[in-house]
Amino acid sequence: MERHLIVLDLDGTLLTDQKVISDNTKRILLKAKDEGHEVMIATGRPYRASEMYYHELGLTTPIVNFNGAFVHHPRNRSWQMIHKPISLNVVKEVVEAVQSYSIKNMLAEVLDDVYLHYHDEQMISALVQGNPNITTGDLRQFLNADPTSLLIHAEENSVDDVRKHLKEVHAEVIDHRRWGAPWDVIEIVRHGLNKAVGLDHVSKYLNIPKERIIAFGDEDNDLEMIEYAGVGVAMGNAISPLQNIANEITATNNEDGIAEFLRERLKLN
């Protein structure tokens, strides 16, 4: 069996709803590594909120974080990392503009530093993973570096209006996505970034062609990655648009969908 690159989204894909890797999935992934295949993570999470899974699987590959805005190699500091943040001026323009909409809060991340527009314990406990430095205050004043990403927590009835504004005014410099329930969050990154961009960089580094890339995902931030991979696999719990473009559909994240697919495709026991 030729060497394959297995690419794993985290939430709703590798992780069960309890945010753990099942024993069966872990066993199959370790078996794949033992047989010479490469395994990597591509997630919207920051590294501090994904490194526990990276180490649990004993990975030795680069990792894609912030949906492609940050790509680095945790075990090789000489590896040329990629960090493509949003221009601070653009972010301040966005923060200024959305004041006229019904906004609950905004959160900017500069790698492992978090900036909250308003103090919000609920948002911190739900969205601020790991143990970052947190600064609270008007982002127009306190944010002093180009952020890796910006989250806008909006009232449900204003999400579409905010996204319409972003598309009309800032389409050439930022990309944005809407998160699923229960949070009405608009996630913003620099224009042209997605998981496929990071995956392309890593696959070339590992010298593994597209046709031997197997990628798993469940949400709209996985669309480009699933299209890019030679074998794009949607989880059984994936959104319909992702299932529609995927090459294959496997069982859900709670039913060891990754393990079931890899066991058959790569002939793992």
Side-chain angles (χ1 to χ4, degrees):
M1 179 70 67
E2 287 190 286
R3 188 174 64 131
H4 284 67
L5 174 58
I6 300 163
V7 192
L8 310 168
D9 167 54
L10 290 179
D11 298 287
T13 302
L14 174 65
L15 307 181
T16 68
D17 290 350
Q18 286 68 48
K19 303 301 181 185
V20 298
I21 306 172
S22 74
D23 290 341
N24 187 31
T25 295
K26 182 177 179 179
R27 182 181 66 82
I28 289 295
L29 288 170
L30 293 178
K31 178 71 172 175
K33 286 176 58 197
D34 287 344
E35 298 204 0
H37 301 296
E38 301 282 0
V39 178
M40 67 172 286
I41 290 170
T43 178
R45 292 186 181 210
Y47 179 63
R48 65 175 186 277
S50 49
E51 64 177 323
M52 66 285 280
Y53 306 115
Y54 183 95
H55 292 301
E56 182 179 351
L57 293 174
L59 301 186
T60 57
T61 47
I63 182 170
V64 175
N65 292 109
F66 290 107
N67 292 319
F70 181 49
V71 185
H72 81 294
H73 198 317
R75 299 188 188 274
N76 183 357
R77 292 192 175 184
S78 66
W79 196 80
Q80 187 64 48
M81 78 167 190
I82 298 172
H83 182 218
K84 295 184 177 179
I86 317 164
S87 165
L88 180 58
N89 289 336
V90 170
V91 170
K92 289 188 175 182
E93 287 175 11
V94 169
V95 172
E96 182 73 33
V98 299
Q99 302 299 314
S100 58
Y101 299 96
S102 299
I103 300 298
K104 294 182 179 180
N105 211 343
M106 288 173 282
L107 184 155
E109 300 196 50
V110 182
L111 294 179
D112 286 329
D113 292 330
V114 171
Y115 295 81
L116 271 173
H117 198 63
Y118 305 115
H119 182 75
D120 184 340
E121 287 294 338
Q122 186 181 13
M123 192 173 192
I124 290 173
S125 63
L127 302 182
V128 180
Q129 301 152 320
N131 187 30
N133 298 313
I134 300 176
T135 301
T136 302
D138 192 315
L139 296 183
R140 291 167 292 186
Q141 299 175 24
F142 287 88
L143 186 61
N144 54 19
D146 294 348
T148 314
S149 72
L150 174 69
L151 304 181
I152 300 175
H153 184 203
E155 296 285 357
E156 183 179 2
N157 60 6
S158 69
V159 170
D160 289 342
D161 290 336
V162 172
R163 294 195 70 189
K164 183 172 182 287
H165 167 82
L166 295 175
K167 182 177 180 180
E168 290 175 351
V169 180
H170 299 290
E172 294 182 0
V173 288
I174 60 173
D175 290 341
H176 51 94
R177 303 175 187 272
R178 180 175 183 168
W179 285 12
W183 290 82
D184 291 301
V185 168
I186 301 163
E187 178 185 49
I188 299 172
V189 294
R190 184 165 151 181
H191 177 62
L193 294 180
N194 54 64
K195 292 182 181 182
V197 174
L199 173 55
D200 178 68
H201 189 73
V202 175
S203 64
K204 287 174 179 172
Y205 162 73
L206 295 172
N207 196 29
I208 297 179
K210 274 188 186 182
E211 58 267 24
R212 283 192 269 121
I213 297 176
I214 305 173
F216 296 88
D218 73 307
E219 272 289 350
D220 71 343
N221 65 336
D222 298 311
L223 285 164
E224 294 89 353
M225 178 175 77
I226 294 301
E227 279 192 314
Y228 176 89
V231 182
V233 186
M235 306 302 291
N237 51 289
I239 59 172
S240 295
L242 194 75
Q243 293 194 5
N244 290 341
I245 67 163
N247 301 109
E248 306 277 356
I249 299 174
T250 188
T252 70
N253 62 315
N254 293 320
E255 299 169 328
D256 294 336
I258 290 173
E260 293 303 312
F261 186 87
L262 292 177
R263 181 185 291 112
E264 180 178 340
R265 178 59 64 108
L266 299 181
K267 298 178 171 53
L268 303 170
N269 296 319

